[in-house]
Amino acid sequence: MSASNARLALGAAAANLTLCALVGATLLITTAKEPPVTAPIAASAVSSSVDISLSPSSRQATTTTGVTARPDVDQASGTGGFRTVVPRGWNPEPIKNQPGSFQATDPTRASHYVRFGSYSASGEIGQFRAASEQEAKTRLPGLSRLRMEPRAVRGFEGVDWEFTWDGREGQQRRVRGIYWRTGGIEYFVYVSSPASDWTAWEPFVAVMLDNSTP
């Protein structure tokens, strides 16, 4: 091969190497920006669990989308086979002068508590609750009914009662109780908290109801 032909061949080879290098660099840049569509998705991106908080100091609860929010709970038993749940660590104790009724209080805040129970009852449940409201007004200053509505509970006749009253040092409290009857026994679940914390705590009455028997 002549010297001139050799120089031409070497020039062509060098140009070819340069072109290949540019193409390779372009491919690397493109693939760095766009990962493969089959890349695994982080588990947190598809999880159906969400955190809920019943109060500013309680952030342990989780629930699956579409299911009643359920924080950590303990099973609780009343009289006559009645069962429900209370927040974990809240110890149910009998309520003085109210046979068959129990109260579980937040051990860190006495202002937050739930109640449940069962007792013999007769007559129409709505009238019974209305009479109970009149009696409660003698004990709870400023009691004001928000609603008292018929509500069926698992096919049993019931009442959904919500009210406010004036607690200590002018602190307004809010209460919601759900009552139902079967076999001459009235059952109930009940949540009470300062009105300022009601939005966070009111849903727990549904948790108690959904996990109660009968």
Side-chain angles (χ1 to χ4, degrees), residues 162-181:
E162 188 173 343
F163 61 90
T164 60
W165 64 283
D166 299 329
R168 295 179 180 177
E169 301 177 354
Q171 180 189 65
Q172 188 180 63
R173 298 191 60 80
R174 192 157 172 174
V175 176
R176 184 181 177 193
I178 299 176
Y179 304 77
W180 67 101
R181 297 260 189 98

Side-chain angles (χ1 to χ4, degrees), residues 98-179:
Q98 297 185 38
S101 300
F102 299 82
Q103 177 172 310
T105 304
D106 185 340
T108 64
R109 298 176 301 174
S111 59
H112 294 65
Y113 56 84
V114 300
R115 292 180 173 180
F116 62 91
S118 60
Y119 39 75
S120 297
S122 59
E124 199 275 324
I125 189 170
Q127 294 177 353
F128 189 89
R129 278 295 108 215
S132 177
E133 179 184 54
Q134 293 305 310
E135 187 278 329
K137 286 182 176 180
T138 67
R139 298 181 289 103
L140 306 178
L143 188 152
S144 177
R145 180 196 298 187
L146 298 177
R147 61 190 173 110
M148 185 181 285
E149 304 169 347
R151 171 174 180 153
V153 176
R154 292 182 284 274
F156 305 125
E157 62 174 350
V159 169
D160 193 337
W161 179 25
E162 188 173 343
F163 61 90
T164 60
W165 64 283
D166 299 329
R168 295 179 180 177
E169 301 177 354
Q171 180 189 65
Q172 188 180 63
R173 298 191 60 80
R174 192 157 172 174
V175 176
R176 184 181 177 193
I178 299 176
Y179 304 77

